[in-house]
Amino acid sequence: MEKTCLSLPRKPFRTRGGAHISHNKNTRDSRSVVMPCPKTVILPMSQHIGTPCTPVVKPGMHVCVGDVIGKCESMISAPIHASVSGRVQSIRKIQLPNGHMNDAVVIESDGEMKLSENIKPPVISTPQDLFNAVHASGLVGLGGAGFPTHVKINVPEGKHADTLIINCAECEPYITADHREAVENTENVISGIVLMLRILKLDRAVVGIEDNKPDAVKALKKAISECTDAEAKKIGVLTLKARYPQGAEKVMIKAVTNRVVPMGMLPVDAGCIVMNITSVAFVSSYIKTGIPLVSKRITVDGSAVTEPKNVIVPIGTHIKDIIDFCGGYKDNCRKLILGGPMMGIALETDDFPILKQSNAVLAFNKKDAVLSTPTACIRCGRCVKNCPFSLMPAAIETAVKLHDKDKLKKLGVADCMECGTCAYNCPAHRPLVQIIRQGKMIAANKAKKQGV
Amino acid sequence: MEELLIISPSPHITSGASTRKIMLDVIIALLPAVAASAVIFGLRSLLIIAVTVTVSVLSEYISRKVMKRDNTITDLSAVVTGILLALNLPVGINPLCAAFGAVTAIVVVKQMFGGIGNNFVNPALTARIVLLSSFPSQMTTWAQPFWYKSGSVDAVTCATPLALHNAGETVPVLDLFFGTTGGCMGETCAMAILIGFVYLLIRRVISPVIPLTYIGTVALMSLMFGQDFLFELLSGGLLLGAVFMATDYTTSPINTKGRVVFAVGCGVLTFLIRHFANLPEGVSFSIMIMNILVPLIERATAPRPFGEKESKNVTV
């Protein structure tokens, strides 16, 4: 087949469903501040999707910023680095928000933030070099999912990727971390994209960004026009309608390329590599400095935070310390969310660390924290109409009640990305996401039985 | 933080929609029809509405209590059922009969099948059909519009436009539009129903799919069989049924494709009953028959999950 060069999309393609959610981007103009080094950090060994790492340090050892403290031989995993310099205090079990118990390294900081002597910028000329470098940097998808990035950029044999999509939709309310990345770190974003295009020999790169960030769009376009690399011509910025969940990977691919990722497959099966804007900027800075992923920009917001702002913190910083840095709680915090209000996880304590993939901490007062009690489903069909993946949440709920595994599979329950649009719109306040998670477990259980 | 934090699954925010707000919107949308019935058929219509609403809410309260379930009268759905039932009755009906209808709708049709969201046929429509077979003469005696102005105690009766039409007479379209004809209290005034329809659309309570497809199907059938289609649309309970009864969430399909099939079925059945059956009116029966078919329609028209088609083309 004759190879045609792909053009850059002028306007987004149609996507289905979703919801209009008030943006509440209160921190959109707040320039990121670097938080002073915390007294201790706690680094769980699982900050990614895949096999957890094993600690390679012992209590009492001295570590510097960037030293590897957790490693894993498995392909789908990412190493963990010390984010502060100091003494390893202990290695203890910590319960992650998903319920799994995990080893975590506690480091007592000496306050010096001394860089490790092993840090040196990598040299990259082949895709394999890039793969190794990204693997060593500990980078995971910074948009929230935490999928190891080196796996994404490793296009399997027999498959072909032609498009790089840079996800800057940031469709979750409140969060402005990616927005600030695009504005404050534009140069690294563009040089990262250029590097990706050059090494992976892709046809084009498209930055997908929601239209509620005009300043970021302007900054990106300006940087592209000023870029002297030959690859700059292949980079486009596509303004998308601000509609939740525009930033969901499969929705983004549809909007940018009009391609549909087959059910149960990965973006590369639709010829796409999707990276978060902060991830791609990090790749660029890693190539320049060699400093692995040790810090993260976090949006701190919500009705129970005194001074909402964007802060850059070492990974592993306690949420409590960050809140204190932002003026502490006000108005009696009743709910603490790691992530956005649509897909974030409610924490039971503020004694939990920031993970690599975290991008926001929200604290809500009583008024915002208490949700209405569920009433009976009235079959209004809002969940069906607005599902970005054309699923039928109301029917899934019935099947879950009946424990009907076959029906659940037929309804495609495993395909749900848990974006929460159904539950957000539900006038009966049904906890549909929770019910769907239950449905996934019922369906998966069946799959195991069939396999044996 | 003195108290423990609240833990709940995502999402942590909601759109603010609630069943109660939706029902309140439906009640507001029904108000023009209520007002029209009061003007055309006199204050007696308000009495009938008051009776059905009160009895509906009371039966909901009592039956929930007896069945040891939580009280649901605050969701206002019983009020909607009460108003809808009244609007589907002739103004001259004995209030006791109307009350019997309300009990049937709420206790038998709705609560015995599990309450709101679980009934498989529309409560108000089914109650109307029960009343039609229980009190056939009362249910088909239509008061003359503005009968109350003549000062007589008993209502002067007249025929419905559909009956007149079958007898070969013509009814002016304007009379049909403003509702100054014989018929059920809420169904005669097309204008009032259309105002309610527009309100429901603006408030996004209903999607226009069912009403438009239903009415469109009847119009198409009328043209095909050489009938006066404007007359077909404005007479009888078609508009009231298409806007307020066929769009009932619980008893109509949940997906758009299913709604189209459902509404086409309603339209075809309505036309067939009107012209080929020995019944005065087909809207109630056709909607009820299609209500029963909803689970089958939904099964046949379920949307395909995103990427399912594409995954069939991929060899894994």
Side-chain angles (χ1 to χ4, degrees):
Chain A
M1 208 169 75
E2 200 184 332
K3 192 170 181 278
T4 48
C5 202
L6 290 163
S7 59
L8 293 168
R10 291 228 184 92
K11 56 177 190 186
F13 294 95
R14 245 180 85 95
T15 54
R16 185 186 194 272
H20 280 293
I21 300 176
S22 44
H23 304 307
N24 287 323
K25 305 269 192 191
N26 312 317
T27 52
R28 50 175 301 150
D29 296 322
S30 111
R31 206 173 168 80
S32 321
V33 269
V34 180
M35 191 180 138
C37 175
K39 280 202 185 74
T40 56
V41 291
I42 176 160
L43 295 152
M45 288 295 112
S46 176
Q47 302 189 27
H48 48 257
I49 291 174
T51 326
C53 296
T54 11
V56 293
V57 287
K58 294 223 158 54
M61 272 170 75
H62 188 270
V63 288
C64 293
V65 176
D67 276 337
V68 175
I69 56 164
K71 253 192 200 165
C72 179
E73 295 306 314
S74 158
M75 161 88 172
I76 302 183
S77 187
I80 314 276
H81 302 87
S83 58
V84 293
S85 61
R87 197 177 62 89
V88 177
Q89 197 181 53
S90 61
I91 294 170
R92 63 173 175 98
K93 291 272 180 202
I94 180 175
Q95 187 172 28
L96 296 179
N98 62 11
H100 293 285
M101 292 304 279
N102 209 259
D103 280 332
V105 174
V106 185
I107 304 174
E108 198 180 356
S109 163
D110 56 13
E112 286 173 22
M113 295 299 270
K114 220 175 95 200
L115 277 185
S116 164
E117 285 161 6
N118 302 329
I119 285 179
K120 58 171 192 292
V123 184
I124 289 170
S125 52
T126 65
Q128 187 61 37
D129 290 344
L130 183 69
F131 174 83
N132 292 342
V134 170
H135 189 188
S137 75
L139 179 61
V140 300
L142 299 180
F147 192 74
T149 306
H150 61 273
V151 184
K152 270 194 212 175
I153 59 170
N154 180 31
V155 179
E157 218 156 295
K159 287 178 184 171
H160 173 72
D162 50 25
T163 306
L164 174 68
I165 298 174
I166 302 302
N167 193 339
C168 188
E170 206 160 45
C171 52
E172 281 258 17
Y174 293 98
I175 310 181
T176 56
D178 285 347
H179 181 177
R180 293 313 302 173
E181 183 78 22
V183 174
E184 294 171 18
N185 202 7
T186 325
E187 205 181 302
N188 269 340
V189 171
I190 302 301
S191 58
I193 298 174
V194 167
L195 178 88
M196 287 296 199
L197 286 174
R198 189 181 299 153
I199 302 293
L200 299 174
K201 298 190 176 59
L202 301 170
D203 287 357
R204 57 174 173 174
V206 183
V207 183
I209 182 162
E210 280 193 352
D211 56 12
N212 57 2
K213 304 181 238 315
D215 52 337
V217 173
K218 221 171 119 190
L220 288 167
K221 281 188 173 161
K222 186 162 166 272
I224 292 169
S225 66
E226 284 169 2
C227 179
T228 48
D229 292 285
E231 275 80 7
K233 269 188 291 188
K234 295 181 186 170
I235 310 173
V237 177
L238 184 66
T239 316
L240 307 165
K241 211 163 69 179
R243 187 172 174 83
Y244 186 84
Q246 195 64 265
E249 199 168 56
K250 290 179 180 179
V251 177
M252 179 68 105
I253 292 172
K254 175 75 171 60
V256 172
T257 65
N258 205 21
R259 295 178 197 164
V260 178
V261 179
M263 213 169 156
M265 312 284 269
L266 294 172
V268 73
D269 295 297
C272 296
I273 294 174
V274 185
M275 277 179 91
N276 178 268
I277 192 156
T278 310
S279 304
V280 78
F282 169 77
V283 170
S284 171
S285 82
Y286 179 67
I287 304 299
K288 284 176 198 160
T289 63
I291 302 175
L293 186 61
V294 290
S295 66
K296 188 75 206 286
R297 179 187 289 102
I298 304 284
T299 301
V300 186
D301 202 351
S303 47
V305 174
T306 313
E307 297 163 27
K309 60 174 108 174
N310 281 304
V311 283
I312 295 172
V313 301
I315 287 160
T317 307
H318 292 270
I319 288 169
K320 194 167 172 294
D321 296 341
I322 300 176
I323 299 278
D324 286 343
F325 179 69
C326 294
Y329 295 109
K330 64 166 188 192
D331 208 5
N332 194 12
C333 171
R334 300 295 290 115
K335 194 185 245 179
L336 200 58
I337 301 165
L338 189 61
M342 290 300 285
M343 289 185 75
I345 300 167
L347 298 174
E348 59 179 11
T349 162
D350 58 4
D351 194 26
F352 193 79
I354 290 295
L355 306 177
K356 286 178 183 176
Q357 69 267 40
S358 315
N359 43 20
V361 170
L362 303 177
F364 284 142
N365 63 16
K366 189 169 183 184
K367 188 173 147 275
D368 293 334
V370 181
L371 296 178
S372 316
T373 1
T375 53
C377 167
I378 53 171
R379 290 174 40 88
C380 66
R382 281 168 173 76
C383 55
V384 178
K385 190 176 152 232
N386 295 311
C387 177
F389 285 176
S390 307
L391 302 175
M392 296 173 77
I396 292 175
E397 182 173 11
T398 319
V400 167
K401 272 187 202 149
L402 299 172
H403 255 256
D404 190 338
K405 293 170 190 172
D406 296 316
K407 178 89 186 173
L408 281 168
K409 283 187 154 180
K410 220 173 143 193
L411 290 166
V413 68
D415 219 38
C416 170
M417 59 170 161
E418 301 174 15
C419 69
T421 306
C422 49
Y424 174 83
N425 279 320
C426 182
H429 316 295
R430 308 294 307 160
L432 289 164
V433 175
Q434 188 184 19
I435 289 160
I436 287 171
R437 284 184 192 139
Q438 212 177 330
K440 282 181 178 177
M441 280 158 81
I442 295 170
N445 190 9
K446 167 88 174 184
K448 268 181 203 156
K449 268 185 196 160
Q450 275 177 341
V452 171
Chain B
M1 277 187 292
E2 309 86 57
E3 298 167 84
L4 286 174
L5 291 172
I6 296 171
I7 301 285
S8 64
S10 60
H12 306 286
I13 47 175
T14 63
S15 60
S18 72
T19 306
R20 187 188 159 90
K21 281 183 195 162
I22 290 171
M23 293 302 163
L24 196 62
D25 270 338
V26 177
I27 293 170
I28 293 170
L30 282 167
L31 287 182
V34 170
S37 75
V39 171
I40 298 164
F41 297 110
L43 291 177
R44 192 188 157 87
S45 74
L46 295 183
L47 170 79
I48 304 289
I49 292 170
V51 168
T52 53
V53 169
T54 316
V55 175
S56 292
V57 174
L58 267 179
S59 355
E60 172 130 331
Y61 180 78
I62 294 168
S63 54
R64 296 294 291 193
K65 197 111 194 160
V66 169
M67 289 191 261
K68 295 194 173 63
R69 289 177 175 157
D70 44 326
N71 177 16
T72 52
I73 58 167
T74 48
D75 67 21
L76 298 179
S77 62
V79 178
V80 172
T81 305
I83 300 177
L84 274 176
L85 173 61
L87 294 184
N88 274 290
L89 300 175
V91 72
I93 192 165
N94 183 337
L96 284 176
C97 295
F100 170 70
V103 173
T104 313
I106 296 294
V107 179
V108 180
V109 185
K110 191 175 165 195
Q111 291 303 339
M112 283 195 177
F113 287 92
I116 186 168
N118 290 311
N119 48 294
F120 65 99
V121 282
N122 187 311
L125 268 188
T126 314
R128 178 196 141 101
I129 291 169
V130 168
L131 289 178
L132 194 62
S133 19
S134 314
F135 312 101
S137 76
Q138 269 210 51
M139 285 293 289
T140 48
T141 308
W142 314 105
Q144 183 100 41
F146 306 114
W147 60 273
Y148 57 95
K149 285 189 179 161
S150 67
S152 73
V153 183
D154 288 318
V156 188
T157 61
C158 72
T160 64
L162 277 172
L164 288 171
H165 185 75
N166 286 351
E169 291 179 48
T170 53
V171 185
V173 171
L174 272 183
D175 274 355
L176 292 169
F177 186 73
F178 291 114
T180 49
T181 59
C184 293
M185 283 158 44
E187 71 181 22
T188 61
C189 183
M191 187 178 68
I193 297 167
L194 291 177
I195 293 172
F197 181 42
V198 171
Y199 178 79
L200 288 179
L201 289 184
I202 291 172
R203 299 284 297 162
R204 291 173 179 259
V205 172
I206 60 169
S207 96
V209 171
I210 290 179
L212 295 187
T213 317
Y214 190 169
I215 296 168
T217 307
V218 173
L220 200 72
M221 297 271 298
S222 316
L223 287 176
M224 273 163 50
F225 286 88
Q227 302 286 338
D228 175 2
F229 85 95
L230 205 55
F231 174 80
E232 287 287 332
L233 299 191
L234 294 175
S235 61
L238 178 62
L239 282 181
L240 186 69
V243 174
F244 290 101
M245 315 292 245
T247 54
D248 172 28
Y249 289 150
T250 307
T251 55
S252 64
I254 201 163
N255 53 328
T256 306
K257 213 160 140 197
R259 285 175 181 165
V260 173
V261 175
F262 171 84
V264 168
C266 287
V268 171
L269 284 177
T270 302
F271 188 85
L272 292 180
I273 294 174
R274 275 186 180 179
H275 291 277
F276 300 103
N278 194 17
L279 276 172
E281 166 65 313
V283 172
S284 313
F285 283 95
S286 49
I287 294 177
M288 195 179 76
I289 292 167
M290 293 312 290
N291 282 166
I292 297 168
L293 291 177
V294 163
L296 295 177
I297 296 173
E298 269 181 12
R299 191 186 291 187
T301 59
R304 297 181 79 175
F306 189 67
E308 193 195 64
K309 197 175 84 203
E310 284 75 9
S311 69
K312 296 239 162 84
N313 304 332
V314 179
T315 45
V316 185

